[in-house]
Amino acid sequence: DPLQIYPGYAPEEIGLLEAFPRVEALPERGFVVDSFGIRTRVEYFPAFAHLEGKVVGRPLPPSPPLQSDTVEYLGVLKSVITASSRFAALEVGAGWGSWIVFGGVAARHRGIEEIRLYGVEADPEHVAFMRRHLQDNGFSPNDHTLIHAAVGSAGGRTRFPRAIDASADWGARPFFDRVSGIDYRGFAVDATFEVEILALKDLLAREQVWDLVHIDVQGTETSLCASAIHELG
């Protein structure tokens, strides 16, 4: 019963899921498909390999969500429920754009026609993944704003680690103060490339109202949000 009590969640939170239709999806080679109808290529992330050709259910315990935790899915759904005739979402450190696509698909299910998706990602191969993920789920990348850049407290340039295998490394962050060396995880980085830094406050200025802002920048979220606290408010 989707309305049963789940530890840590109020019934009305779990009930959010019932505001969205369950899509009766078919298994598809190369993809894992969820109950919202979102198609995700398993090549993006090694942990998805065992899910190829599977259709997964709602992101509720005891079944583990496809990514992150149930609370993160519910947060995105709340942003869609409270949107009006338009839905604007920004994902910083977007990876393959999983959260903007989830929000966009959920908004589409609610009949919202004006959907504006923004994804900012520093790894160029991840940007390519993001473009493909939008296409795989019915969004033309050219109709949205997908940016190859890092995001910081101020604009500028920085160095970013060059991944040997982009699908295996989702934890890199810029070398704001040096060219290469040991990264924040203790990994040796031999090759980097230069990438533009966009100031978060400038990104936020692109829309008058945001329904969703999702930030995943490997431990620098606090300082980043502090730099744009007025815009976020």
Side-chain angles (χ1 to χ4, degrees), residues 61-81:
S63 300
L66 188 59
Q67 58 179 8
S68 189
D69 297 312
T70 298
V71 66
E72 202 157 3
Y73 286 88
L74 295 179
V76 175
L77 295 182
K78 285 180 181 179
S79 76
V80 174
I81 289 287

Side-chain angles (χ1 to χ4, degrees), residues 158-160 174-184 187 192:
T158 189
R159 307 292 300 185
F160 196 83
F175 281 93
F176 288 111
D177 57 351
R178 59 192 191 281
V179 173
S180 62
I182 305 299
D183 74 4
Y184 75 103
F187 297 165
T192 63

Side-chain angles (χ1 to χ4, degrees), residues 118-197:
Y118 294 73
V120 188
E121 169 58 47
D123 185 292
E125 291 188 65
H126 293 170
V127 175
F129 290 172
M130 178 164 47
R131 292 184 62 85
R132 194 182 307 160
H133 192 49
L134 262 71
Q135 290 173 323
D136 287 339
N137 289 284
F139 297 105
S140 170
N142 294 333
D143 292 339
H144 300 276
T145 304
L146 308 181
I147 305 172
H148 175 213
V151 179
S153 301
R157 309 287 297 181
T158 189
R159 307 292 300 185
F160 196 83
R162 188 176 300 281
I164 297 174
D165 179 358
S167 69
D169 190 353
W170 293 96
R173 74 184 188 196
F175 281 93
F176 288 111
D177 57 351
R178 59 192 191 281
V179 173
S180 62
I182 305 299
D183 74 4
Y184 75 103
R185 301 168 293 183
F187 297 165
V189 175
D190 297 323
T192 63
F193 58 88
E194 188 175 72
V195 67
E196 182 182 7
I197 306 172

Side-chain angles (χ1 to χ4, degrees), residues 79-80 82-89 100 103-118 139 143-144 206-212:
S79 76
V80 174
T82 56
S84 54
S85 60
R86 61 185 290 282
F87 178 76
I100 52 173
V105 168
R108 200 163 57 197
H109 283 317
R110 295 286 291 175
I112 297 175
E113 296 183 359
E114 185 181 351
I115 298 172
R116 301 168 67 85
L117 307 178
Y118 294 73
F139 297 105
D143 292 339
H144 300 276
R206 296 191 181 205
E207 291 287 340
Q208 193 168 24
V209 176
W210 291 98
D211 298 289
L212 173 69

